[in-house]
Amino acid sequence: MTRKGLPKRQRLIGAWLLLSGISLLGGALFAAWLESQLIITGVYRAVLWLGCFSGGITLFLMGLLFERMLFKPLRQLQAQLARLVANPDADDAAAPEGWLKALGPDLHRVEQSWRKDRQQLHRAHAEGARSATRIRKELEALLQMLETPLLLYDRHRRLMLFNQAAEAFFDHAPGLGLGKRLEALFPLASMQQTLGQLPSSGTPRELLIPCDNRWLKVIIRHVPESHDEVLLTCSDATAAWSSERGVRAELAQALTPLRQHTASLVSAAEALGQVRQQGSHVGSLHQRLEQVVSEESLALSDTVTCIGKLLESLQRQGERLTPIWSNDFWQMLDDYLDPAHRLITPIGLPLWFKGDAPALMALLSSLVHHLSHYMAGRLFEGEVSLSTRHVYLDVIWKGKPIAERELAGWRQQRLTTLPLSPSVGDVLRQHASDVWSIQDADGEHARLRLPLPSVEQSGAPRTAPPRPEFHDFGIAELPSPDTALASCPLRSLELVIFDTETTGLELRKGDSVISIGACRIVNTRLLASDTFDEYVNPQKRIPQASTAIHGITDEDVSDAPLLLPVLERFRDYIGDAAILAHNAAFDMLAISHQGVTFDMPVLDTLLISRALDEALDGHDLDSLVKRYCLNLPAGMRHTALGDARVTAELWLALLPRLEARGISTVEQLLHFQASAFDREDANAL
């Protein structure tokens, strides 16, 4: 493909200096020849030499004049128009200079009109979509509060929506992400037949699917009145089976011998009855023995029945015990007791524990009312502490501890706010717990201690982002994934933008990767939370000169994995996407020939920028950030993930300029960027 547009600035300068030099040299030779032919001295000799040099001097001065008054203003105008196309909202107060100065008011008028039209368009769009936006925000909030993992796929089995529960359920799974295929997360062969036979009415179908050393119970259904979209909800069947094989299974197995003993006693009683009927030794002893066996049989049968009911109750109650964050519990209890006043002040470090929150709130509410006889005020403190097997939930007050006799009476109190009005003792048995009251070491405070099951979980609960990026219904409008990648439109192209940091710039002489960062663009949308960022152990020291640039030290990578496993995870992260980098020749050289194949199309914003603006200097990342007024967060430059994000923003700025030139497919772009390839830049930053 031939180059288009103005020649490079360096070529123009070279041609100008060459012509000026030739003209001056020719003038000097001509002046020397004339001086040898004509005998002239004084002023005439000076005029001769000046006249012969005048052409070269004139050419040199005209070049300077055109550079200052025309060529430099033209380059500024080109950069300004490029910025206006790529980032129309960027502030640009620079006015044309030189002979183009008169275009300043006209250019400013065009720019203001364009921005005004865009503002009117945005205003009209915002007014028309306000109601939809409100509904969408409410749906987003509801989705994040759902505890059931939920995934929505389009007709091409691409993920359009997932909630926070799904993100936690499939933690660190490379197949979870907007636009990713169903088979990247589940073994498609396990559900292929079910997907082909799903009723359009939305009737669900259930499957058990092996996935990452777990058996998942997956409920699949068509979304009614949609374009063949499929909704999946998941649960961990392995966890349920493990629970059933634990204590509950042992209790269930214990029922079998008990029933056998019952049957044996009943049989013995029947045998004694038959002996009595046969007339042998019909005496009071046999009658008493028969009565005892019969009574014991009935009693044992009642006991077995009671154990069965307790087992069923235990199974139901165990499902109600869920992990609770102590700070959340104290806040809920405060709202339950008196929403207008804060009665309980949490102290100490918060912890997780397991319990039935409504039952515990009813129990402690009853306790607060009961304590009104033991304290002067109504202010309490709440504290949790960790023991070897339990989490102690303490309610603290200023006063004396409760006597054991009073606690025994309180255990019998009915909690009428709960279904079936269980007693305090029932709630304690539900949690396999008890209560006692003790005096604090200061002699002024007392506390009631309630041991509860601990939870293997640390850290405060995560909060959902205000605008979670867990859905994009525009994915359903993208071309089929089976479309040839070469003809795929650039706007529908899934891209992974990546960058590497290395121990140095001489990759062919032993320098290696120490960090890989990447982000993803789906449907021309940069996903803020879909990232890849890992350190790599280079098995060598990092030079101080390199650390001064990217800030990565030997300590940072000492415990990091080697390059091969990181590249394998990075390849899984890429999936079916194309990849993009700035000066991709360097980054591809860093990750190639390391045991992992990267055979997808590679796009390069450095080459694209050069092909678009051949006449402009400065195609490094910093110059392009400044040219297009891109957002560069402080401290992110020269970090792998930070540079990848900036490159992604640069790609979105270059996309409208590519489309303005009719470059709209991957094949066209690969040819276009190839026209700017320069082997000398393969090792440039």
Side-chain angles (χ1 to χ4, degrees), residues 379-417:
L379 297 180
F380 299 86
E381 291 178 341
E383 184 178 19
V384 290
S385 57
L386 187 64
S387 70
T388 55
R389 298 179 58 185
H390 297 91
V391 170
Y392 290 129
L393 189 72
D394 294 346
V395 178
I396 307 169
W397 63 92
K398 190 172 184 179
K400 299 298 182 182
I402 307 176
E404 181 58 34
R405 186 177 58 183
E406 292 289 335
L407 283 177
W410 177 59
R411 291 188 186 96
Q412 304 302 318
Q413 183 176 335
R414 292 287 174 179
L415 303 176
T416 57
T417 57

Side-chain angles (χ1 to χ4, degrees), residues 287-485:
Q287 292 178 354
R288 289 196 303 271
L289 183 61
E290 179 179 326
Q291 181 179 2
V292 169
V293 170
S294 178
E295 290 175 352
E296 290 295 329
S297 298
L298 293 175
L300 185 58
S301 178
D302 292 340
T303 302
V304 171
T305 303
C306 181
I307 292 176
K309 292 180 178 179
L310 288 174
L311 177 61
E312 295 175 356
S313 176
L314 177 64
Q315 291 174 335
R316 289 194 301 270
Q317 292 172 353
E319 294 172 356
R320 294 201 301 268
L321 301 184
T322 58
I324 303 172
W325 181 242
S326 60
N327 280 357
D328 290 342
F329 177 76
W330 296 126
Q331 182 64 52
M332 288 189 297
L333 183 59
D334 248 340
D335 294 340
Y336 185 83
L337 292 171
D338 189 349
H341 301 88
R342 188 171 183 83
L343 302 182
I344 300 180
T345 302
I347 62 173
L349 295 177
L351 292 171
W352 289 93
F353 62 87
K354 197 171 184 180
D356 183 353
L360 289 177
M361 285 193 293
L363 182 147
L364 293 180
S365 175
S366 168
L367 170 68
V368 169
H369 289 26
H370 190 80
L371 286 174
S372 60
H373 305 291
Y374 294 87
M375 53 183 293
R378 297 185 66 241
L379 297 180
F380 299 86
E381 291 178 341
E383 184 178 19
V384 290
S385 57
L386 187 64
S387 70
T388 55
R389 298 179 58 185
H390 297 91
V391 170
Y392 290 129
L393 189 72
D394 294 346
V395 178
I396 307 169
W397 63 92
K398 190 172 184 179
K400 299 298 182 182
I402 307 176
E404 181 58 34
R405 186 177 58 183
E406 292 289 335
L407 283 177
W410 177 59
R411 291 188 186 96
Q412 304 302 318
Q413 183 176 335
R414 292 287 174 179
L415 303 176
T416 57
T417 57
L418 294 178
L420 305 179
S421 299
S423 67
V424 170
D426 293 333
V427 174
L428 294 175
R429 281 190 294 272
Q430 174 192 355
H431 292 80
S433 181
D434 199 358
V435 293
W436 59 87
S437 184
I438 57 178
Q439 186 80 48
D440 279 4
D442 62 4
E444 296 183 2
H445 293 81
R447 66 181 65 206
L448 184 132
R449 172 158 289 180
L450 174 65
L452 293 170
S454 60
V455 179
E456 293 183 1
Q457 189 171 347
S458 61
R462 294 192 306 169
T463 57
R467 291 301 306 275
E469 292 186 337
F470 293 143
H471 70 85
D472 187 349
F473 295 106
I475 291 174
E477 307 300 326
L478 298 179
S480 168
D482 299 327
T483 303
L485 195 58

Side-chain angles (χ1 to χ4, degrees), residues 500-523:
T500 61
E501 299 297 338
T502 60
T503 56
L505 302 180
E506 297 182 348
L507 297 176
R508 300 185 188 278
K509 296 182 180 180
D511 283 322
S512 59
V513 177
I514 55 176
S515 175
I516 300 178
C519 55
R520 190 181 302 272
I521 287 180
V522 176
N523 200 21

Side-chain angles (χ1 to χ4, degrees), residues 131-301:
S131 177
T133 301
R134 179 182 59 80
I135 295 174
R136 186 178 68 250
K137 287 181 178 180
E138 292 176 356
L139 288 176
E140 287 173 351
L142 289 173
L143 281 174
Q144 302 323 306
M145 289 188 290
L146 286 177
E147 296 183 358
T148 301
L150 182 147
L151 307 102
L152 180 65
Y153 287 87
D154 72 350
R155 65 184 184 280
H156 298 301
R157 309 294 182 254
R158 294 176 299 204
L159 185 58
M160 297 193 304
L161 176 148
F162 63 99
N163 63 349
Q164 202 165 15
E167 186 183 36
F169 189 78
F170 296 102
D171 189 25
H172 298 111
L176 183 70
L178 293 179
K180 293 188 178 181
R181 302 288 297 275
L182 178 66
E183 55 266 31
L185 193 61
F186 299 100
L188 190 60
S190 302
M191 59 175 66
Q192 186 68 50
Q193 183 177 2
T194 302
L195 287 170
Q197 298 176 353
L198 279 180
S200 58
S201 61
T203 304
R205 295 290 184 267
E206 294 187 7
L207 289 176
L208 279 175
I209 299 177
C211 182
D212 294 335
N213 300 320
R214 294 186 296 178
W215 280 92
L216 305 185
K217 179 182 178 182
V218 181
I219 300 177
I220 313 175
R221 68 188 76 198
H222 266 309
V223 179
E225 300 182 7
S226 68
H227 298 289
D228 293 330
E229 281 132 10
V230 178
L231 180 67
L232 279 71
T233 56
C234 310
S235 60
D236 190 349
T238 310
W241 292 346
S242 299
S243 176
E244 293 300 329
R245 291 197 301 268
V247 177
R248 297 181 183 181
E250 295 178 3
L251 287 173
Q253 291 174 358
L255 289 176
T256 301
L258 287 176
R259 290 191 177 104
Q260 291 174 350
H261 291 315
T262 302
S264 298
L265 287 173
V266 172
S267 299
E270 292 177 352
L272 286 174
Q274 292 176 358
V275 169
R276 183 177 57 81
Q277 291 176 359
Q278 292 174 0
S280 58
H281 300 93
V282 180
S284 60
L285 178 63
H286 282 80
Q287 292 178 354
R288 289 196 303 271
L289 183 61
E290 179 179 326
Q291 181 179 2
V292 169
V293 170
S294 178
E295 290 175 352
E296 290 295 329
S297 298
L298 293 175
L300 185 58
S301 178

Side-chain angles (χ1 to χ4, degrees), residues 573-621:
Y573 175 78
I574 294 174
D576 298 327
I579 57 178
L580 179 142
H582 191 77
N583 190 16
F586 179 84
D587 296 299
M588 290 304 298
L589 180 62
I591 65 175
S592 299
H593 309 294
Q594 302 291 342
V596 178
T597 302
F598 296 91
D599 53 0
M600 66 289 297
V602 180
L603 306 181
D604 188 344
T605 49
L606 173 65
L607 299 181
I608 295 171
S609 178
R610 280 183 172 171
L612 285 171
D613 299 311
E614 185 180 1
L616 297 181
D617 293 331
H619 298 283
D620 59 282
L621 205 52

